[in-house]
Amino acid sequence: MGVGLEVEIIYLPQNPQIFRVLVDDESIKNFKNISNRSLEFKDLEKFITVKDATNLEKSLKQISGGWKPQESEIGGFGFINNLKKELVFVHPSSKLLLYVHDRDFVLGDFKIPKEHVIKELKDSTGIQYETDKYFIKMRNKHTEGNVMSVLENVTIQLK
């Protein structure tokens, strides 16, 4: 847990002395009735066409808890989830979406379904994909310390 990290607390209405702190995935799944998973490509496909922050926030909160508005210098709107270490920005006028995820383990990189990929280009900066609907640029930055970490940066733009 990080210092200053916000957590949700729910109280039993009949007896407020009985409460639960919603921090781990299991408690959030049980008490909020959501899957509390990381975002996937299918989610980003829905988000890229969202026109306002309210609808994006509603969609994000149906997937996982902990989303807070995040300001952007480039315009548009976005949300950050410090519990999941995820960030989503949507810029409707540019038809652009930015997704960043810091994963503590290298186990599961962000996946784009191969059946959607028309063209793939790898270079020293990352991988670029072209699908029937999008141009996608993915960059992974590997850092080592006490824990191996992968910072994934995914940019999706409608054609």
Side-chain angles (χ1 to χ4, degrees):
M1 279 296 160
V3 175
L5 186 64
E6 292 183 21
V7 296
E8 290 186 67
I9 300 173
I10 58 170
Y11 297 89
L12 188 60
Q14 305 88 320
N15 187 353
Q17 292 177 336
I18 299 174
F19 64 92
R20 296 285 184 261
V21 178
L22 302 182
V23 177
D24 64 348
D25 284 347
E26 204 56 42
S27 65
I28 292 171
K29 286 177 190 177
N30 290 336
F31 292 103
K32 295 192 82 175
N33 199 25
I34 58 176
S35 60
N36 203 45
R37 60 175 170 78
S38 296
L39 298 179
E40 299 171 356
F41 181 72
K42 65 182 180 181
D43 302 316
L44 302 185
E45 281 189 295
K46 294 174 190 171
F47 300 158
I48 196 166
T49 56
V50 171
K51 302 289 185 220
D52 61 67
T54 304
N55 286 335
L56 178 58
E57 182 176 28
K58 182 179 174 184
S59 296
L60 288 167
K61 287 184 175 183
Q62 290 174 348
I63 295 169
S64 60
W67 291 99
K68 302 289 181 200
Q70 181 71 29
E71 297 206 11
S72 167
E73 295 176 5
I74 62 169
F77 45 87
F79 292 87
I80 190 167
N81 187 329
N82 288 320
L83 294 171
K84 292 283 185 194
K85 299 181 185 177
E86 292 180 294
L87 171 76
V88 176
F89 272 109
V90 177
H91 199 279
S93 61
S94 300
K95 299 178 183 177
L96 185 74
L97 180 140
L98 172 66
Y99 169 67
V100 178
H101 190 176
D102 185 2
R103 298 179 187 257
D104 291 334
F105 304 100
V106 185
L107 297 176
D109 290 338
F110 185 79
K111 301 272 190 271
I112 297 170
K114 293 298 181 191
E115 63 270 12
H116 293 291
V117 176
I118 295 170
K119 190 189 308 183
E120 180 179 323
L121 175 66
K122 293 182 182 183
D123 62 21
S124 61
T125 63
I127 304 172
Q128 295 182 39
Y129 297 100
E130 181 180 347
T131 72
D132 56 340
K133 298 179 185 176
Y134 313 105
F135 294 108
I136 304 165
K137 185 182 287 186
M138 294 181 60
R139 291 181 296 192
N140 293 337
K141 179 181 178 187
H142 298 273
T143 58
E144 290 189 52
N146 292 338
V147 176
M148 183 75 159
S149 178
V150 178
L151 183 65
E152 297 173 319
N153 182 327
V154 180
T155 306
I156 301 176
Q157 185 161 22
L158 283 169
K159 284 185 168 180

